[in-house]
Amino acid sequence: MNKQIIWGLAAAAVLVLAVVGYVANPSVNQGTEATIGTAQRYQAPQIEAKDVAVGDTSAQVLMQTDTWDAIVKDETLRTLLQDASFRAKLQDPELRQALSDADLLKALRSSSFARALADPELARKLNDAELMKKLADEDLRTALRNPALARALADANVRAQLAKADIVAAFGRPAFQAALRDLGFLRAMRDPRFEAALARGGGCDEFGCGSNSPIVDGAVIK
């Protein structure tokens, strides 16, 4: 009977010691679970190469081209492309195609076209389909019956530009023709700093110096 009591007390003592030891030394998993969970919640995801958006550098590349260099050095083209209204007209792909046509460029240089531009009624006559059909001068028909050019001529500013012989002659130059085909150049023309870059020519400002100065510094031109 005494032995049973002694063994019972011993077992109880072992159980008590086990409980005390467990409370004093909690499991690593249980004790750190909440801390690890909290840390994971505040851990920022790692940035991968695919997550980095690189800006459109077409403008910087453009400034290094022979086309840009030739236009900056050509006073007529440089002055023409500082005209925001004319640059906007060049966003019309049909007008660009028209200005790339050798026959149309020949017509623009003709004396008959120059006389037509001087006609104060030209804008109204351009909308008269029957009158356009009756034009006797071949060069004039080539020019005025081109839909894209006719739309552009409705703008008094465009008519004023095309009345200048030096500007019409400049249309045929390789630099201008290359610019008409260069979509990067056309996008750059929409940037508000394009005009300032042309006007600056060989000067310097916060964007750099001369023909090497970028219009944008990594920003996307949309």
Side-chain angles (χ1 to χ4, degrees):
M1 189 68 179
N2 290 335
K3 288 181 178 181
Q4 289 178 343
I5 293 172
I6 291 172
W7 281 111
L9 292 173
V14 169
L15 180 61
V16 169
L17 290 174
V19 171
V20 171
Y22 180 82
V23 172
N25 300 282
S27 167
V28 172
N29 289 338
Q30 287 182 330
T32 60
E33 186 177 20
T35 303
I36 292 174
T38 302
Q40 287 176 338
R41 285 197 299 272
Y42 288 95
Q43 183 177 10
Q46 295 298 312
I47 299 176
E48 300 178 9
K50 64 182 179 62
D51 299 320
V52 180
V54 179
D56 182 355
T57 60
S58 59
Q60 291 97 319
V61 173
L62 168 68
M63 293 295 184
Q64 311 304 320
T65 65
D66 292 339
T67 298
W68 174 262
D69 190 55
I71 286 176
V72 167
K73 292 176 180 177
D74 187 317
E75 186 64 27
T76 300
L77 287 175
R78 191 157 64 92
T79 301
L80 174 65
L81 293 179
Q82 288 177 58
D83 184 329
S85 174
F86 191 82
R87 292 200 310 272
K89 290 291 188 296
L90 289 180
Q91 298 299 323
D92 180 350
E94 292 183 0
L95 180 60
R96 295 199 304 271
Q97 183 178 1
L99 293 177
S100 299
D101 185 276
D103 290 334
L104 184 87
L105 291 177
K106 174 177 174 290
L108 296 183
R109 293 191 296 269
S110 69
S111 58
S112 57
F113 182 72
R115 287 194 299 271
L117 287 178
D119 184 349
E121 296 293 314
L122 177 62
R124 181 186 62 78
K125 292 177 179 178
L126 287 171
N127 293 320
D128 189 333
E130 291 302 316
L131 180 60
M132 290 297 103
K133 290 178 182 178
K134 295 175 183 177
L135 291 173
D137 187 279
E138 183 179 354
D139 286 335
L140 197 55
R141 284 200 309 273
T142 299
L144 299 185
R145 291 179 66 183
N146 181 285
L149 183 63
R151 288 196 301 270
L153 288 174
D155 186 326
N157 180 61
V158 173
R159 295 198 303 275
Q161 296 287 12
L162 295 184
K164 301 173 184 176
D166 58 338
I167 286 180
V168 174
F171 288 160
R173 291 174 191 159
F176 184 75
Q177 291 299 314
L180 292 179
R181 297 189 298 270
D182 189 332
L183 295 181
F185 195 99
L186 294 167
R187 286 198 301 271
M189 285 198 298
R190 296 198 296 266
D191 189 279
R193 288 168 287 186
F194 182 90
E195 183 176 335
L198 278 179
R200 184 174 61 251
C204 298
D205 66 6
E206 69 271 25
F207 300 113
C209 298
S211 60
N212 291 325
S213 59
I215 297 175
V216 294
D217 43 7
V220 177
I221 303 179
K222 297 181 180 178

